Amino acid sequence: MINIALPKGRLGDKVYDKFKAAGYSCETMEEKNRKLIFTDEEKGVKYFWVKPSDVSIYVERGAADIGVAGKDILLENEPDIYELLDLNIGKCRMCVASVKGFEDTGKRTLKVATKFTNVARKYYSSLGRDIDIIKLNGSIELAPILGLSDVIVDLVETGTTLKENNLEVLETIVPISARLIVNKASFKFKKKEITRIVESLKEQVE
Ligand code: PRP
């Protein structure tokens, strides 16, 4: 059996479509239900829906052989896994943003609100800029509006959330997309099966 951790939610639907196009599908996954685990006995594959930010944990620890995770999560968690394929979906960018007209004078510690504390720390440390990190879990855009922070480090996809809240991008840190990741031991011991899946997916990547 090959265990595959898929991110549930918005990205998960796109990821499932890619797997399906590659010949890996499971009818019960397409039904509206709350099930989390699905088995395709014929192909010897088991899929499970995982919270997107947890996929790399399942794969790193071997509870899943393969998974799909956003590059944002990989940069943040730095899991010890192999990243084998850019699926070219879930594309967005990790940015620094703030209220329109904000300028960092560099005179005092910069207050940075984000879900991605590791990414933000590394980015500002590469600039030699002192920061005070404020860890949030969602609706990050509120922070600079309410004066909780000077800037945010967050994902920007269409830019609508920023625009509708009078915020703007100051810097792009890194482009993001969904990546196929593999457990290191699984890649050694189930190489043939895993390679077959990776090659089929590769054909579906534009
Ligand atoms: C993400 C991200 C931004 C938004 C960007 O949030 O954190 O808020 O999407 O998308 P846009 O540029 O297309 O507007 P998400 O919807 O995942 O919710 P969150 O507030 O819980 O992070």
Side-chain angles (χ1 to χ4, degrees), residues 177-192:
S177 57
R179 310 296 164 97
L180 187 82
I181 59 172
V182 177
N183 173 271
K184 287 188 163 176
S186 302
F187 194 58
K188 196 167 169 191
F189 297 112
K190 301 181 182 177
K191 191 161 188 172
K192 214 172 90 195

Side-chain angles (χ1 to χ4, degrees), residues 109-137:
T109 304
L110 189 72
K111 285 190 279 177
V112 182
T114 187
K115 261 192 255 192
F116 304 99
T117 55
N118 194 22
V119 174
R121 265 201 195 94
K122 278 201 167 164
Y123 173 68
Y124 282 105
S125 129
S126 78
L127 300 177
R129 181 72 174 99
D130 267 348
I131 58 164
D132 175 13
I133 290 261
I134 301 159
K135 158 95 181 166
L136 295 178
N137 300 296

Side-chain angles (χ1 to χ4, degrees), residues 10 115 137-139 141 154-161:
R10 258 188 305 180
K115 261 192 255 192
N137 300 296
S139 300
E141 290 84 358
D154 199 14
L155 297 176
V156 177
E157 190 182 353
T158 60
T160 311
T161 312

Side-chain angles (χ1 to χ4, degrees), residues 59 76 139 174:
V59 174
E76 181 62 22
S139 300
V174 63

